[in-house]
Amino acid sequence: MNTLDFNIVLIGFMGSGKSTISRALNERFAMDVIEMDQVIADREGMSISEIFEVHGEEYFRNLETELLRELQNRKGVVISCGGGVPMRDENVVEMKKNGKVILLTASPETILDRVKNNHDRPLLENNKNVGFISDLMEKRRSKYEAAADIIIKTDGKSAFQICEEIISLAKET
Ligand code: S3P
């Protein structure tokens, strides 16, 4: 594939498949991937849970906004956003400067199954149940949908299938 002249920005709830799909896009189309959580954790020398614990959520949210701004000098890359990034309108403005925003969705049951063994998501740590996940998802839905250029349901689809869908829709959108 020729290098895209825009970024693919993946958004969605925790466990919606952003990291898995980023890796698949990297394998399938050799696109560079920026995993925002990973960059932030590496720079801070702490896990996401530790950043929340030591500095608080607001500090983490500010790091997200700064990183997103910094990433606007990249092109043709995949930016995998943490699940909370589209909650700030200023972040959505940044994403849209150079990127097509792809919202990945999954049912609360699928999300629970994907996150249940992970311990680096402070918002879910003591809330791993369908009720909490669907409530938070509902609270976030309008921001997610408003930010998205393309919405892709991931339930029951292979990573390969989702990648093909993303690239063909992104090229024509
Ligand atoms: C968060 C999602 C996480 C991480 C942090 C907060 C959120 O990223 O940024 O725990 O507010 O939804 P993932 O969506 O990659 O799990």
Side-chain angles (χ1 to χ4, degrees):
M1 188 180 68
N2 296 331
T3 310
L4 298 175
D5 63 355
F6 54 85
N7 296 323
I8 298 280
V9 182
L10 297 180
I11 63 166
F13 201 81
M14 295 168 269
S16 58
K18 294 164 292 185
S19 303
T20 306
I21 298 307
S22 296
R23 277 194 299 275
L25 283 167
N26 171 266
E27 281 164 22
R28 172 84 180 79
F29 299 110
M31 294 180 76
D32 280 348
V33 173
I34 293 133
E35 184 70 51
M36 287 186 63
D37 280 346
Q38 193 59 54
V39 173
I40 291 174
D42 289 349
R43 286 182 179 176
E44 294 292 297
M46 285 184 215
S47 68
I48 302 297
S49 300
E50 285 167 338
I51 299 173
F52 269 62
E53 216 175 288
V54 174
H55 299 292
E57 182 171 347
E58 190 66 13
Y59 177 88
F60 173 73
R61 298 301 177 196
N62 291 337
L63 294 179
E64 288 184 318
T65 301
E66 278 166 31
L67 176 57
L68 208 49
R69 284 204 184 115
E70 188 186 316
L71 292 176
Q72 296 320 307
N73 58 17
R74 304 289 306 268
K75 258 199 197 137
V77 301
V78 180
I79 301 176
S80 176
C81 297
V85 174
M87 294 308 108
R88 282 191 179 178
D89 294 343
E90 62 193 297
N91 292 350
V92 175
V93 171
E94 291 301 319
M95 290 174 193
K96 287 189 174 285
K97 281 186 182 162
N98 270 331
K100 303 232 170 129
V101 181
I102 320 285
L103 170 61
L104 301 180
T105 70
S107 70
E109 289 76 11
T110 301
I111 298 281
L112 179 60
D113 196 53
R114 290 178 184 163
V115 302
K116 63 180 186 240
N117 297 320
N118 175 282
H119 295 285
D120 196 24
R121 289 188 173 100
L123 301 183
L124 292 183
E125 199 42 28
N126 294 309
N127 298 310
K128 288 197 182 121
N129 59 76
V130 167
F132 180 88
I133 291 170
S134 48
D135 282 355
L136 185 55
M137 209 184 256
E138 228 17 75
K139 281 186 195 134
R140 288 182 168 188
R141 180 190 302 279
S142 60
K143 294 267 190 195
Y144 281 152
E145 290 180 356
D149 296 307
I150 295 164
I151 302 179
I152 297 185
K153 284 190 182 175
T154 66
D155 293 278
K157 289 182 191 161
S158 70
F160 182 85
Q161 215 176 334
I162 294 166
C163 283
E164 296 292 326
E165 245 182 271
I166 289 176
I167 295 301
S168 69
L169 290 170
K171 279 182 169 172
E172 72 194 31
T173 304

